[in-house]
């Protein structure tokens, strides 16, 4: 089982994703922005990150750049609210180019998320 | 002058008595007339009759008249030793006349006179005559025309100037002698060769006409002169003299130059008009009505009318509906000598139609007077309209994409807990009912948030525009503020300045509530949940009503002001766009101000947002007060 950092500003989404992960036996730490996530990453060691894109203070893309820019290879699963072809989702495909291992589009089934976590943890 | 009446030929009487002499006289080529003491013709030979054109019978016994009688009397009184000679002009011919007296045997008195008429007159004599006549005529003419005249006798080198000639050259007979030469000093250096050539031509016997050159007078004043001159010849055919006129044509030259410049400008204007991509027609307004004076190439191409066909058909032929409101106002403007711009459907000569902007400009000779002409410009709006339609369509598609993308994003986020927690809830329902209950609450909240998104989208799309009624504004605003304040974080202070008694407006309570809720929520978010919101409601003084709005009617002004982070200029320009938000997702739908904007529009009101980064934001809403 893994220790996962969940970065999500919507409390309902964060809660539901946390519940999926913890029900599967993972331990979860939550952050409401990229900035909070970076602080938690400094303080503790995580096996994977699940991150939203559009958040206050520091969004998911900036967070990706920060993490990958620092040379970290930690697995990252991006969860995006945009449909793959909707105009606002340009940041979701962008996430892959900035080093996201998997991009999931909300709303997703719990199996999709757990499968993604499993695949990135190898 | 009457001709010398010629007489004869009765038999020669005592005066001659010699038949052979008579025959001689009859045969000479000169005309010979013999008169008695009473000036009656006693004989006229054939040549004399031929010259004069009278018959012998009509002439004999008749007294001579006119110049002949004068000379005969002179002859009698002076008693000259020899014949008297004079020249006489008669019937376009020049005669040399000699009168001989036939003296009585005592030598004391003349018994008869013989007049000899000769047609042979020297060429020089004729030239001189012409000259005198010419000079006399020209001098009279030049005196009237303020011309200077000059005469040159080539063989003597004598040069004479008329008084005005001196004046033209800024000299007097005391200061300048034309015969002394040195005329070149008057002439502009560039023209000296030309003037000298003309003078040489004259000396060689060629008349000159319209020789134009510049004089440089004392004070460096340039004057344009024109010289015309003709040459008179002597009997040998050599130039004898010339006579000419000199005229100051400076003013004429100036006018010519002005005219040339005017024509040049006209040509440029004409070319410019012809090159214009817009149709241009020029009309003159006279008492008899309007006349199309000119249409340019673009006008002909656009309307298929030339000035002739348009004059025949009339201006109304240019539009599809000459009774339309806009065309009536076009005609009204024309009748009032005013200008204006009118968007009309233009009709070509072949009946086809194109949208056009027709601009009317009145041309006045004097400000305030009726127009003397009009300029009509026709601009084809077809391409512009097509571009605008394409742009509008793409904007619509963009807005639709933005709207659907925004809605999808919101709903997707809210569906995530619904799907995930309903699954998990089913799993834990029996094992951990407390947790399941918590899940269901989140599911329910997510559903309600989704409902709010849909509601806002529908408000934005004006699908559920409520019925607008006349309401007292103040109580609605107070209720709305109280409702909105309940949902705000505890560290937000709401300060109200409500000074609006008995002011009614046409709106709905829900709308007021939505507007105030959205603005106050924005204000709170801009201050991160800590700070002061000021709500101000009062009648707006006329001078505070923004330009472009009707200042004649009363307005209610609602202000919601914060001390928050502000909005930069770039974002400020987009705040009313649907789903444009400066807030992170989850915080704002990006629909708030769009909804406010559309609500205020349904009231016939206006909203303005003033903001500067870190200086706070002020939203001002103007609501038309019901009168």
């Amino acid at each position: 089982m893994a220790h996962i950092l969940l970065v999500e500003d919507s409390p309902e989404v964060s809660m539901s994703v946390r519940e999926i992960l913890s029900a599967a036996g993972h331990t979860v730490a939550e952050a409401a922005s990229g900035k909070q996530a970076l602080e938690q990453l400094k303080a503790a060691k995580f096996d994977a990150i699940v991150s939203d894109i559009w958040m206050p203070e520091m969004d998911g893309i900036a967070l990706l750049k920060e993490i990958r820019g620092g040379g970290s290879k930690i697995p990252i699963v991006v969860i995006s609210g945009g449909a793959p072809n909707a105009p606002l989702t340009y940041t979701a495909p962008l996430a892959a180019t900035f080093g996201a291992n998997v991009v999931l589009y909300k709303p997703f089934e719990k199996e999709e998320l757990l499968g993604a976590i499993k695949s990135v943890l190898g | 002058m009457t001709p010398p009446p010629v007489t004869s030929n009765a038999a020669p009487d005592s005066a001659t008595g010699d038949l052979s002499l008579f025959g001689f006289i009859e045969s000479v080529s000169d005309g010979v007339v013999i008169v008695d003491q009473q000036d009656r013709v006693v004989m006229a030979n054939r040549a004399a009759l031929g010259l004069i054109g009278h018959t012998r019978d009509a002439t004999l016994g008749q007294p001579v008249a006119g110049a002949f009688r004068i000379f005969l009397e002179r002859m009698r009184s002076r008693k000259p030793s020899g014949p008297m000679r004079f020249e006489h002009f008669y019937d376009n011919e020049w005669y040399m006349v000699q009168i001989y007296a036939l003296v009585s045997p005592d030598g004391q008195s003349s018994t008869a006179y013989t007049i000899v008429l000769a047609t042979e007159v020297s060429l020089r004599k004729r030239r001189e005559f012409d000259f005198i006549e010419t000079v006399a005529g020209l001098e009279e003419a030049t005196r009237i025309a303020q011309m200077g005249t000059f005469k040159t006798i080539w063989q003597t080198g004598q040069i004479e100037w008329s008084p005005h000639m001196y004046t033209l050259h800024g000299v007097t007979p005391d200061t300048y002698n034309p015969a002394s030469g040195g005329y070149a000093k008057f002439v502009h250096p560039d023209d000296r060769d030309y003037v000298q050539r003309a003078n040489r031509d004259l000396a060689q016997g060629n008349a000159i006409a319209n020789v134009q050159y510049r004089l440089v007078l004392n004070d460096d004043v340039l004057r344009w002169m024109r010289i015309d001159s003709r040459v008179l010849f002597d009997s040998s055919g050599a130039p004898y003299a010339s006579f000419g006129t000199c005229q100051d044509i400076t003013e004429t030259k100036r006018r010519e130059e002005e005219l040339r410049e005017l024509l040049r400008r006209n040509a440029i204007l004409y070319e410019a008009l012809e090159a214009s991509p817009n149709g241009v027609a020029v009309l003159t307004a006279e008492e008899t009505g309007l006349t199309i004076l000119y249409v340019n190439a673009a006008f002909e191409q656009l309307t298929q009318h030339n000035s002739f066909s348009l004059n025949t058909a009339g201006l109304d032929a240019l539009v599809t509906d000459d009774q339309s409101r806009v065309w009536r106002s076009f005609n009204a403007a024309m009748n009032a000598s005013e200008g204006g711009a009118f968007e009309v459907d233009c009709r070509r000569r072949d009946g086809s139609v194109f949208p056009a902007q027709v601009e009317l400009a009145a041309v006045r000779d004097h400000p305030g007077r009726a127009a003397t002409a009009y300029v009509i410009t026709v601009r084809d709006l077809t391409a512009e309209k097509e571009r605008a339609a394409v742009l509008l369509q793409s904007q619509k598609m963009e807005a639709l994409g933005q709207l659907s993308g925004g809605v999808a994003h919101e709903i997707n986020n809210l569906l995530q807990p619904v799907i995930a927690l309903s699954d998990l809830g089913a799993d834990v329902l029996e094992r951990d009912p407390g947790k399941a209950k918590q899940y269901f609450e989140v599911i329910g909240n997510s559903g309600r948030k989704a409902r709010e998104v849909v509601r806002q989208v529908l408000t934005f799309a004006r699908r559920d525009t409520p019925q607008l009624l006349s309401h007292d504004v103040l109580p609605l605003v107070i209720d709305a503020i109280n409702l909105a304040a309940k949902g705000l974080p505890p560290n937000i202070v709401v300060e109200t300045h409500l000074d609006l008694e008995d002011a009614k407006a046409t709106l709905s309570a829900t709308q007021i509530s939505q507007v105030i809720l959205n603005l106050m929520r924005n204000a709170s978010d801009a201050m991160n949940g800590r700070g002061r919101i000021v709500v101000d409601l009062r009648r707006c003084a006329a001078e505070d009503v923004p330009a472009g709005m009707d200042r004649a009617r009363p307005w209610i002004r609602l202000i919601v002001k914060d001390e928050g982070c502000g909005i930069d200029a770039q974002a400020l320009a987009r705040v009313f766009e649907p789903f444009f938000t400066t807030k992170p997702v989850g915080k704002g739908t990006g629909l708030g101000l769009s909804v406010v904007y559309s609500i205020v529009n349904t009231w016939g009101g206006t909203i303005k947002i003033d903001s500067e980064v870190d200086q706070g934001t002020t939203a001002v809403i103007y609501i038309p007060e019901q009168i």
Side-chain angles (χ1 to χ4, degrees), chain B residues 208-496:
Chain B
I208 56 169
N210 200 7
V211 171
Q212 301 185 358
Y213 60 95
R214 286 161 293 177
L215 289 185
V216 184
L217 299 185
N218 287 335
D219 34 12
D220 282 344
V221 175
L222 274 184
R223 306 295 296 180
W224 274 96
M225 294 292 144
R226 168 187 168 150
I227 278 193
D228 296 84
S229 186
R230 51 182 289 196
V231 184
L232 306 169
F233 300 90
D234 66 13
S235 54
S236 69
Y240 164 69
S242 58
F243 177 85
T245 58
C246 181
Q247 201 179 350
D248 187 336
I249 55 164
T250 311
E251 191 64 11
T252 315
K253 275 277 183 191
R254 193 180 60 76
R255 286 198 195 122
E256 274 176 13
E257 192 50 47
E258 279 176 7
L259 188 65
R260 221 181 342 261
E261 178 61 20
L262 192 67
L263 291 174
R264 196 178 65 83
R265 280 189 205 170
N266 277 354
I268 291 170
L269 285 176
Y270 176 80
E271 289 303 324
L273 279 177
E274 280 296 291
S276 166
N278 294 330
V280 178
V282 179
L283 290 78
T284 55
E286 280 149 22
E287 283 167 20
T288 47
L290 291 169
T291 307
I292 288 102
L293 198 67
Y294 161 82
V295 302
N296 71 350
F299 190 96
E300 280 194 34
Q301 204 230 326
L302 272 175
T303 66
Q304 299 168 346
H305 273 290
N306 53 37
S307 50
F308 178 78
S309 71
L310 199 55
N311 268 321
T312 312
L315 282 181
D316 285 350
L318 285 177
V319 291
T320 52
D321 179 8
D322 60 21
Q323 291 307 311
S324 67
R325 198 180 50 80
V326 61
W327 194 246
R328 284 207 307 271
S329 56
F330 172 89
N331 280 312
M334 207 168 216
N335 288 333
S337 287
E338 287 169 359
F342 308 88
E343 210 175 303
V344 294
D345 282 332
C346 268
R347 186 173 56 182
R348 294 190 189 89
R349 213 170 160 191
D350 66 6
S352 56
V353 176
F354 64 97
Q357 163 110 330
V358 175
E359 280 182 30
L360 175 69
V363 181
R364 289 179 175 78
D365 287 347
H366 301 282
R369 295 216 188 144
T372 52
Y374 293 97
V375 179
I376 293 177
T377 313
V378 178
R379 191 157 58 88
D380 188 351
L381 297 180
T382 308
E384 219 165 288
K385 294 248 176 196
E386 278 168 7
R387 267 199 306 278
V390 167
L391 185 66
L392 186 66
Q393 186 58 22
S394 73
Q395 280 172 340
K396 273 187 196 165
M397 293 310 291
E398 195 186 323
L400 187 64
Q402 211 173 9
L403 188 74
S404 58
V407 171
H409 188 269
E410 288 302 294
I411 302 292
N412 285 341
N413 259 299
L414 293 166
L415 283 176
Q416 183 58 53
V418 172
I419 290 172
L421 296 179
S422 57
D423 270 4
L424 292 171
D427 290 348
V428 300
L429 187 59
E430 285 173 15
R431 197 167 12 104
D432 189 350
K435 187 160 238 179
K437 184 171 178 261
Q438 193 193 344
Y439 288 178
F440 296 144
E441 272 170 18
V442 173
I443 291 169
N445 283 339
S446 296
R448 279 184 281 277
K449 282 193 179 177
R451 182 180 63 190
E452 181 60 19
V453 170
V454 171
R455 194 174 281 167
Q456 295 240 17
V457 169
L458 290 179
T459 307
F460 174 72
R462 297 197 203 172
R463 287 280 163 78
D464 67 341
T465 302
Q467 201 182 359
L468 303 184
L469 297 167
S470 174
H471 287 281
D472 200 351
V473 176
L474 181 64
L476 293 189
V477 169
I478 292 171
D479 286 352
I481 292 170
N482 288 336
L483 188 69
K486 273 181 198 158
L488 295 178
N491 288 324
I492 293 288
V493 178
V494 180
E495 186 181 312
T496 57

Side-chain angles (χ1 to χ4, degrees), chain A residues 8 10 12-18 20 79-81 104-113, chain B residues 408-424 442-443 446:
Chain A
E8 169 65 65
S10 160
E12 295 86 355
V13 175
S14 188
M15 189 256 201
S16 64
V17 172
R18 184 191 70 213
I20 292 172
I79 52 174
S80 164
L104 289 181
Y105 293 101
K106 298 174 203 166
F108 44 79
E109 300 290 341
K110 63 177 182 182
E111 289 79 13
E112 289 177 75
L113 177 64
Chain B
H409 188 269
E410 288 302 294
I411 302 292
N412 285 341
N413 259 299
L414 293 166
L415 283 176
Q416 183 58 53
V418 172
I419 290 172
L421 296 179
S422 57
D423 270 4
L424 292 171
V442 173
I443 291 169
S446 296

Side-chain angles (χ1 to χ4, degrees), chain B residues 452 480 483-485 512-522:
Chain B
E452 181 60 19
L483 188 69
I512 279 279
S513 186
Q514 263 179 306
V515 165
I516 287 178
L517 183 72
N518 273 306
L519 292 179
M520 287 178 65
R521 207 183 270 166
N522 281 351

Side-chain angles (χ1 to χ4, degrees), chain B residues 539-551:
Chain B
R539 285 197 175 84
C540 184
E543 64 264 27
D544 292 337
V545 173
M549 285 168 59
D550 184 3
R551 285 188 173 163

Side-chain angles (χ1 to χ4, degrees), chain A residues 28-85:
Chain A
V28 179
E30 289 174 84
S33 73
K35 210 171 162 190
Q36 286 180 23
L38 285 179
E39 281 163 16
Q40 298 218 32
L41 281 169
K42 264 185 238 163
K45 194 178 178 317
F46 294 95
D47 301 308
I49 298 172
V50 174
S51 175
D52 186 21
I53 293 177
W54 205 349
M55 293 176 292
E57 290 185 325
M58 179 187 279
D59 67 22
I61 299 297
L63 177 65
L64 274 171
K65 286 182 189 170
E66 198 67 33
I67 292 168
R68 296 295 184 231
S72 167
K73 297 235 176 348
I74 185 169
I76 301 175
V77 174
V78 161
I79 52 174
S80 164
N85 57 353

